[in-house]
Amino acid sequence: MDIQGLYQLFQATFQPDPNVRMQAELRLKELEKTQGTLLQSMQIIGAQESEVHVRQAASIYFKNAIRRYWFETESTATPATPQIRISEADKEAIKANILQLLASAPSVVRTQLVTVLGTILSNDFPAKFPSYLTTVQNLLQSQDPKTVLVGLIALKEVLRVYKFKTEEREPVDGIIVNFFPAIQQIGTGLIGSDNIEAAEMLKIIFKCYHYTIQLDLSEHQQDNASIIPWGTLFLQVVEKAIPAEGLPTDLSELEKHPWWKAKRWAFQCLNRLYTRYGNPSALTSESKFTVFANKFIVNFAPNILAAYLKQVEHWVAKAWLSPRVLCLIGNFFEECVRPKNIWAIMKPHSETLITHFIFPQLCFTDADEALWLDDPVEYVHSKIDKFEDFNSPSAAAVSFLSTMARYRQNAFMQALNLSNAILQKYNEAPAESKNPREKDGALVMVGSLASLILRKKSLAGMMEPFFVNHVFPEFKSQVPFLRARACEIVNEFSDMDFVDTNNVAIAFTNLMDCLRDDQLPVKVIAALALRPMIRHEAIFEAMKPHLQFIMHELLSMTNEIDVDTLAEVMDEFVEVFAQDLAPFAVQLCGQLRDSFLHICEDMTKGTDGVDDLSDEAIDEASDKTMAAMGVLKTMGTLIISLESTPEVLNQLEVALLPVIQFTLQNAIIDLFDGVFEIIDSCTFSGKTISPNMWGVFELIYKTFKESALDFMEEMFPSLDNYIAYGKDVVSTNENVQHTLYDIIETVMKSDRLGENDRVSACKLAESLLMHCKGHVDKYVAPILALVFEHLGPADAIRTVEFRVQAIEVVMGCLYYNPAVTLRLLEENRWTERFLTVWFTNLDKFSRVYDKKLSIVTLCSIVSVPVEQLPPALRNNWPQVLQGILTNFEGLPTAQAKRKELERTYNIASDDEDEGDDADEDQKALESALASDADGVEEEWVDDEEDVFDEGSEYIEYLALQASRSRPADRDEEEESEWDELEEEIYFESPLDDLDPYILFRDVFTGLQQHNPASYNELTKALTAEQQGYILTLISTADANAAKAAAEAAAAAAEAGKA
């Protein structure tokens, strides 16, 4: 198509007639396959005479095509839709002209082109784009400000590629040395300007710097010759007064103004320099930045603190600071609490900061009120969503206050005195003079110190009167936000033990009233506060009559607002009150299903044009996904909690079918994990597979083939259940067998998947062999072939787990049919390789199941007539018995470890005295994590001391433990080779009920009686000690058999009485 025709197509995408637009879009989609179309698009974008909206449409088309087709990959190619490639000639032409195009493009088009440039650089720089930096340097040396701006954008985009890279950073080091002095000089020259263009350029310069210090600070940047001019530039922008003329009056628009964005990035650079590299108390003892930090904390940090305090002084005097800047100041102040010399500068200002900087940010604001009234859902998100806290000035203020109060005694007392004074003033004031916003701020302040107050006995004892006087009255307040705050304070002090049990009842009654409130934020916060009330025995019983109402309200709120914490509350209620909820569990499950489908339908709306979703749309989709995950988890908990009631389980399964079907049929990948857990719960809890669930099995397979290849680990538990509890169907249905084998084969052969996925495939193959013995003969040979593709080559398998699992598949084949398997091993020349790998890795078979399977497999081999044995095995026949004895020797240890693990998970544990004394490692861990340790009186440190960050202590603890546990001759790269496999305590197999001692006795004595020649060959190398050990094993078998017979007789007698 000629360029004029292409221009008309872009023009048609703005036509009001939807049919015209659709035809144009379809034609443009077809043209993506035509070489040269992208170059023509560039011409249209760069032509000054082109209409702006056409240039914009062309730039979006150009951006989307580059994002889809620039990367060289085969992952999306199929015979029906072959991979579209951009020719090398077109790529070179695009790279040669992209920066010139940026320079000539209007801002609405430039945004799209910047994304294009980032995509190209992430794939091609530096190897395939060696001339790029030379071109950027020429742009930066131009005398034209617009050209320099493009040069800065181009530099920013190449640095963005390395923002989170820890390796291959050589180009970054070169850019820092060769470009940063020049852009720092450009920035210094812009300080005196007040125009928007100067602000835009400064913002980009600061972004360039910030990208380079995200993960590392180069030696060049640590040098005074670099840090002084850059630090000076940042502080100049922080302190720069922005002329009011021309600024927007709308605060949300003001925050987006280029000068405020430039200021924000200056703050971010200073904060990053200090918090990650310049604060010695936040570094580990092994940090390479210690020398730099010791200089920075003395020579630079005080200047930053002084500048920030000056900005706060202006803000207190009613000068405006953007919310993001306020947040960054709060973050910086918090980091100034721990180092003693910086705290010495801040300490004289602590009371002023608490009173005039922190407290005003804790009070209910005009913005809060507007959001509460206009969008209560968003208000709730802003207050309880932890992800919102990262950019929240009030959250930063709370965190700053908490850190000060925890480590510096004077700040703790100043905060308590201030809050107490405000609350007393509120109580004493006449009704018309009361300031509810101030009371709200005081309650927030007290709530933020809750954990500290409760650990100080003298204060904890005063909190019950505090609740009676200052909290309980607000449950009936005419001010909605005070009702919500009362609920939140109850939640924050949930660990408090009331002396008067009537006060606990008052709190519960008021929370239930608030759950009926007509204001959504009050209802949500009341619901969250109910959760910790369960621990009070009286409240636990009092809740039971209200459970149906509570669950109804929780579900109703979940339908109205996507908050995953509500689902967590539901999940806990379902788990704790499972039996009480049983009478209406099916109704509850139906409501959960409807809530889930409602959320999912909202998620699937408007998925077209996902390339251009706004940040707000992405956040909303994320909220819905998290909420849907929470509801799924609650449904899973409900099923597991009611596994002892099969009639209810059957109804729950029917109710949940639409959830499973909708998620898999619509390929909602983010929810696959949760849905596979639901399928696992349904099939495991009932210990049977219903016709409905066999329909789900077909859907799982279809989804696996279409969109769930990467979810083998998540699918395996469900698939294993289908085999274990549906083995009658699997054993007789060839289609089901073929489906299972196809899944195994696909995973074992796919180059997209790793060893973790292949471990799951091996487990599935082993499960098929173990449960369907005698019914899947035709799959023994192909399964062995799949395994030996990896087990055959000497270095093909990297991890212990995959090696052990692959060996166990072969062992499963030997258990399934030893004679056939031995023949296949011999025919394919695998015998010697397998025996070598197996016997050299016997020490890796450390779990109870591993030991049992080894014993069972070796006993199966012993049962094979000696004439059918391959030569490699006949020549090493005594080693088979040695292997059996080795596994028996390790079995008691493995069983003891498993019992210990079961006690940890509260499974079948009768030992109440276990765990009274923590071992030294546990004590070390608790010490490393002692951020909330008891005894706050001892936590305050002298103002002349540094406070070292617990995070760095924890990292050092982990490093110490790793060095202790790793053998001296192992390096870190070999760690996976040494790690012992962990018991899977919820894993069930046909070997669970098998007594290996009885099996060995029967096989050994049977061989002695019926095949003495083989017996003599097997036992000829036994020592006297080994012979005695065999007698012990037989004696144990006799005792176990007698015990089992007695238990069976007792059970029969009981059944007869019934």
Side-chain angles (χ1 to χ4, degrees):
M1 177 176 283
D2 60 25
I3 194 168
Q4 187 59 37
L6 186 62
Y7 186 96
Q8 290 170 354
L9 285 176
F10 287 130
Q11 207 170 35
T13 61
F14 284 88
Q15 291 297 317
D17 187 338
N19 292 321
V20 173
R21 289 201 309 272
M22 185 179 296
Q23 289 298 320
E25 289 167 0
L26 289 173
R27 183 69 181 117
L28 286 168
K29 187 71 176 174
E30 292 173 4
L31 288 173
E32 287 180 351
K33 304 170 187 176
T34 305
Q35 299 297 331
T37 300
L38 293 181
L39 297 183
Q40 290 179 329
S41 300
M42 288 184 77
Q43 288 180 266
I44 293 170
I45 294 166
Q48 299 296 323
E49 65 273 13
S50 296
E51 298 169 273
V52 173
H53 69 274
V54 173
R55 295 174 78 180
Q56 185 176 9
S59 67
I60 293 172
Y61 176 80
F62 183 60
K63 175 195 73 176
N64 290 338
I66 295 294
R67 287 171 67 179
R68 291 190 187 107
Y69 309 127
W70 191 276
F71 293 93
E72 296 176 1
T73 174
E74 301 290 342
S75 61
T76 57
T78 66
T81 57
Q83 176 70 35
I84 298 173
R85 293 180 178 277
I86 302 172
S87 72
E88 289 302 317
D90 281 5
K91 282 186 176 183
E92 291 303 318
I94 290 168
K95 287 189 287 191
N97 292 282
I98 185 66
L99 291 178
Q100 181 182 345
L101 197 61
L102 261 174
S104 65
S107 58
V108 292
V109 173
R110 184 179 295 153
T111 303
Q112 310 299 330
L113 296 179
V114 168
T115 302
V116 169
L117 180 60
T119 301
I120 294 170
L121 290 169
S122 65
N123 190 65
D124 284 22
F125 184 84
K128 298 179 183 178
F129 208 165
S131 63
Y132 182 76
L133 289 180
T134 302
T135 307
V136 173
Q137 195 163 40
N138 292 335
L139 293 171
L140 291 173
Q141 291 172 348
S142 171
Q143 299 302 308
D144 177 19
K146 291 183 178 179
T147 304
V148 174
L149 175 63
V150 173
L152 290 171
I153 292 171
L155 189 65
K156 169 178 68 75
E157 287 307 305
V158 75
L159 290 171
R160 186 197 297 273
V161 173
Y162 293 91
K163 182 178 179 181
F164 296 112
K165 281 190 176 181
T166 56
E167 299 176 350
E168 301 177 354
R169 288 178 60 88
E170 291 81 4
V172 177
D173 295 333
I175 289 170
I176 290 169
V177 172
N178 298 316
F179 284 80
F180 271 33
I183 66 172
Q184 182 269 320
Q185 287 294 323
I186 293 171
T188 301
L190 295 168
I191 287 294
S193 302
D194 292 332
N195 58 59
I196 288 176
E197 291 76 16
E200 284 284 359
M201 293 172 77
L202 279 166
K203 179 192 73 175
I204 296 169
I205 289 170
F206 295 162
K207 278 190 171 184
C208 288
Y209 191 91
H210 194 269
Y211 287 169
T212 65
I213 64 172
Q214 187 69 32
L215 296 179
D216 193 20
L217 188 70
S218 71
E219 291 184 7
H220 180 84
Q221 288 170 307
Q222 295 178 44
D223 191 86
N224 282 348
S226 172
I227 196 69
I228 290 174
W230 275 105
T232 302
L233 177 59
F234 297 142
L235 287 173
Q236 286 176 322
V237 172
V238 164
E239 295 172 335
K240 180 178 174 64
I242 302 173
E245 185 180 351
L247 292 177
T249 55
D250 181 83
L251 295 183
S252 61
E253 291 301 316
L254 182 57
E255 186 173 6
K256 299 174 186 175
H257 191 274
W259 271 113
W260 277 106
K261 285 187 174 182
K263 274 183 171 286
R264 187 192 92 190
W265 280 100
F267 277 99
Q268 284 189 212
C269 288
L270 289 169
N271 279 24
R272 191 68 177 174
L273 281 170
Y274 175 61
T275 58
R276 187 172 177 90
Y277 310 106
N279 181 358
S281 67
L283 301 177
T284 66
S285 59
E286 302 297 321
S287 174
K288 66 178 181 179
F289 303 112
T290 301
V291 174
F292 172 78
N294 288 332
K295 291 192 300 182
F296 192 93
I297 198 76
V298 173
N299 300 321
F300 296 95
N303 297 328
I304 302 172
L305 177 58
Y308 283 23
L309 287 170
K310 194 70 176 175
Q311 294 302 302
V312 170
E313 187 180 322
H314 293 324
W315 181 74
V316 172
K318 303 306 179 185
W320 189 79
L321 289 176
S322 75
R324 187 73 182 99
V325 165
L326 272 175
C327 180
L328 289 166
I329 290 173
N331 296 152
F332 183 86
F333 284 166
E334 182 180 357
E335 293 296 326
C336 291
V337 173
R338 294 181 177 89
K340 61 185 179 184
N341 54 334
I342 299 299
W343 173 247
I345 300 171
M346 178 181 278
K347 182 180 177 181
H349 304 278
S350 63
E351 188 165 11
T352 301
L353 287 171
I354 290 169
T355 305
H356 299 292
F357 176 70
I358 294 175
F359 177 71
Q361 295 188 71
L362 307 188
C363 297
F364 196 79
T365 65
D366 289 341
D368 289 332
E369 183 172 18
L371 191 59
W372 181 302
L373 295 174
D374 297 341
D375 193 347
V377 168
E378 186 53 37
Y379 175 86
V380 172
H381 276 299
S382 70
K383 296 302 177 183
I384 68 174
D385 187 344
K386 295 301 179 186
F387 292 106
E388 299 283 344
D389 287 353
F390 291 115
N391 297 324
S392 165
S394 60
V398 166
S399 187
F400 170 37
L401 173 65
S402 300
T403 301
M404 267 203 302
R406 177 182 167 184
Y407 295 118
R408 307 298 179 181
Q409 183 177 5
N410 68 309
F412 179 72
M413 299 311 300
Q414 287 163 358
L416 286 184
N417 290 337
L418 174 63
S419 56
N420 185 58
I422 293 168
L423 292 170
Q424 287 299 119
K425 175 186 171 185
Y426 183 88
N427 276 2
E428 293 167 3
E432 66 275 8
S433 301
K434 291 182 186 292
N435 186 335
R437 292 189 176 186
E438 283 193 353
K439 176 161 188 179
D440 182 66
L443 290 175
V444 172
M445 185 168 282
V446 174
S448 69
L449 303 177
S451 62
L452 297 173
I453 292 170
L454 291 179
R455 294 204 306 274
K456 191 167 178 65
K457 294 178 182 178
S458 59
L459 290 174
M462 299 165 59
M463 291 313 295
E464 192 159 349
F466 169 85
F467 269 81
V468 173
N469 293 325
H470 300 298
V471 179
F472 290 166
E474 301 309 332
F475 279 118
K476 306 300 181 186
S477 173
Q478 296 302 305
V479 182
F481 65 77
L482 282 180
R483 297 199 298 273
R485 187 65 61 203
C487 296
E488 187 167 333
I489 292 294
V490 169
N491 196 2
E492 287 170 331
F493 281 88
S494 60
D495 289 335
M496 188 176 88
D497 292 317
F498 287 91
V499 176
D500 186 347
T501 55
N502 290 327
N503 286 328
V504 184
I506 290 170
F508 172 65
T509 302
N510 282 309
L511 288 176
M512 289 299 295
D513 289 341
C514 287
L515 200 59
R516 297 178 174 88
D517 204 285
D518 61 354
Q519 298 289 313
L520 179 65
V522 178
K523 290 167 66 79
V524 172
I525 297 171
L528 300 182
L530 274 177
R531 182 184 183 184
M533 296 289 286
I534 296 172
R535 77 179 182 89
H536 298 281
E537 186 175 347
I539 302 304
F540 176 82
E541 293 300 326
M543 281 183 178
K544 290 183 178 180
H546 304 284
L547 285 175
Q548 194 164 2
F549 166 74
I550 291 171
M551 296 304 295
H552 177 270
E553 289 300 317
L554 288 170
L555 281 163
S556 177
M557 284 185 275
T558 301
N559 287 332
E560 193 171 352
I561 181 170
D562 305 314
V563 179
D564 58 310
T565 44
L566 282 175
E568 291 173 9
V569 176
M570 281 195 295
D571 190 50
E572 181 147 347
F573 269 89
V574 167
E575 185 173 356
V576 172
F577 294 103
Q579 297 309 312
D580 301 284
L581 289 168
F584 50 95
V586 177
Q587 178 188 350
L588 174 60
C589 190
Q591 292 171 333
L592 286 164
R593 173 202 61 211
D594 295 343
S595 178
F596 175 84
L597 293 175
H598 171 76
I599 296 169
C600 286
E601 284 167 4
D602 285 347
M603 285 170 60
T604 54
K605 287 177 184 174
T607 52
D608 295 335
V610 71
D611 285 338
D612 297 305
L613 277 179
S614 64
D615 289 343
E616 291 80 5
I618 292 171
D619 288 342
E620 183 179 351
S622 177
D623 289 339
K624 291 186 182 300
T625 300
M626 294 297 289
M629 287 177 176
V631 176
L632 276 175
K633 187 173 186 295
T634 303
M635 288 188 278
T637 302
L638 187 63
I639 295 166
I640 293 170
S641 300
L642 296 171
E643 63 179 337
S644 61
T645 55
E647 67 286 349
V648 176
L649 278 178
N650 291 336
Q651 297 177 68
L652 294 181
E653 186 182 285
V654 172
L656 287 174
L657 274 177
V659 168
I660 298 168
Q661 291 165 344
F662 186 91
T663 306
L664 297 183
Q665 287 169 352
N666 289 278
I668 308 177
I669 292 175
D670 289 337
L671 300 180
F672 276 2
D673 195 356
V675 160
F676 288 131
E677 283 190 20
I678 290 287
I679 299 170
D680 178 28
S681 298
C682 286
T683 49
F684 180 80
S685 298
K687 300 290 190 291
T688 184
I689 310 296
S690 68
N692 284 326
M693 293 311 293
W694 278 117
V696 169
F697 176 78
E698 295 175 6
L699 185 54
I700 292 173
Y701 178 59
K702 182 175 183 289
T703 306
F704 169 78
K705 297 298 282 186
E706 293 176 355
S707 56
L709 176 61
D710 299 313
F711 287 83
M712 183 62 198
E713 283 190 80
E714 291 77 11
M715 285 191 300
F716 167 70
S718 302
L719 295 174
D720 183 51
N721 292 341
Y722 276 102
I723 297 172
Y725 308 123
K727 60 184 175 184
D728 291 343
V729 173
V730 178
S731 297
T732 57
N733 190 314
E734 291 192 3
N735 287 334
V736 172
Q737 292 175 12
H738 173 74
T739 296
L740 290 166
Y741 175 75
D742 186 54
I743 292 172
I744 296 164
E745 182 183 45
T746 302
V747 174
M748 293 297 284
K749 288 187 172 182
S750 173
D751 57 4
R752 269 177 55 183
L753 302 179
E755 291 195 352
N756 283 345
D757 300 292
R758 293 193 174 97
V759 165
S760 296
C762 285
K763 288 180 178 178
L764 191 62
E766 189 181 344
S767 180
L768 186 64
L769 294 163
M770 300 295 284
H771 285 97
C772 302
K773 193 171 183 180
H775 298 284
V776 287
D777 293 357
K778 69 178 182 179
Y779 292 107
V780 173
I783 285 174
L784 283 171
L786 289 174
V787 169
F788 274 96
E789 284 183 21
H790 303 276
L791 200 58
D795 300 319
I797 294 179
R798 296 189 300 274
T799 61
V800 169
E801 187 177 14
F802 185 29
R803 186 182 304 115
V804 167
Q805 207 60 57
I807 293 170
E808 289 192 344
V809 173
V810 185
M811 292 162 66
C813 291
L814 287 164
Y815 170 77
Y816 180 89
N817 191 323
V820 168
T821 302
L822 288 171
R823 176 176 57 77
L824 289 168
L825 291 175
E826 192 65 13
E827 287 175 358
N828 290 280
R829 299 182 179 178
W830 294 329
T831 307
E832 195 166 339
R833 169 64 181 161
F834 170 66
L835 292 174
T836 301
V837 175
W838 185 10
F839 282 97
T840 55
N841 284 277
L842 274 180
D843 61 318
K844 305 296 192 301
F845 291 75
S846 55
R847 298 167 297 190
V848 172
Y849 175 78
D850 300 334
K851 302 288 185 188
K852 276 192 171 185
L853 181 61
S854 296
I855 293 166
V856 166
T857 304
L858 290 166
C859 286
S860 297
I861 293 173
V862 168
S863 302
V864 175
V866 71
E867 63 273 10
Q868 295 182 22
L869 294 174
L873 202 51
R874 277 202 301 269
N875 295 337
N876 296 282
W877 194 227
Q879 288 187 18
V880 174
L881 184 55
Q882 297 288 346
I884 293 174
L885 298 181
T886 299
N887 279 285
F888 267 119
E889 287 168 0
L891 184 59
T893 301
Q895 289 171 329
K897 287 183 178 180
R898 182 181 176 89
K899 285 183 179 178
E900 183 62 34
L901 195 61
E902 288 173 348
R903 278 193 287 270
T904 302
Y905 285 88
N906 294 318
I907 299 174
S909 176
D910 298 322
D911 298 330
E912 296 182 2
D913 296 331
E914 286 291 328
D916 287 342
D917 300 314
D919 59 22
E920 288 192 7
D921 282 348
Q922 181 63 24
K923 289 177 181 176
L925 177 58
E926 289 170 358
S927 174
L929 295 174
S931 58
D932 292 316
D934 289 339
V936 70
E937 291 88 341
E938 286 74 42
E939 282 190 10
W940 286 318
V941 296
D942 189 280
D943 289 340
E944 300 301 318
E945 295 179 9
D946 284 322
V947 178
F948 289 93
D949 185 59
E950 295 87 358
S952 61
E953 290 179 6
Y954 183 47
I955 291 170
E956 290 192 348
Y957 163 80
L958 292 177
L960 177 62
Q961 296 307 303
S963 64
R964 284 178 179 172
S965 60
R966 187 187 309 120
D969 60 343
R970 301 275 185 182
D971 59 29
E972 291 183 10
E973 286 73 18
E974 294 175 314
E975 191 73 24
S976 64
E977 291 295 321
W978 176 79
D979 284 346
E980 186 176 280
L981 300 181
E982 291 186 0
E983 283 283 352
E984 299 176 58
I985 56 175
Y986 293 106
F987 173 69
E988 296 182 357
S989 87
L991 301 185
D992 290 345
D993 297 326
L994 182 144
D995 188 314
Y997 295 93
I998 296 174
L999 173 69
F1000 172 71
R1001 180 200 64 183
D1002 294 345
V1003 169
F1004 189 75
T1005 56
L1007 188 69
Q1008 185 179 23
Q1009 294 169 11
H1010 304 297
N1011 196 341
S1014 182
Y1015 173 83
N1016 291 333
E1017 184 67 22
L1018 189 70
T1019 59
K1020 68 179 182 181
L1022 288 176
T1023 65
E1025 183 181 356
Q1026 289 171 330
Q1027 290 173 0
Y1029 185 57
I1030 289 174
L1031 293 176
T1032 301
L1033 294 177
I1034 293 172
S1035 177
T1036 302
D1038 292 339
N1040 290 354
K1043 182 181 177 183
E1047 289 174 352
E1054 285 296 320
K1057 292 178 184 178

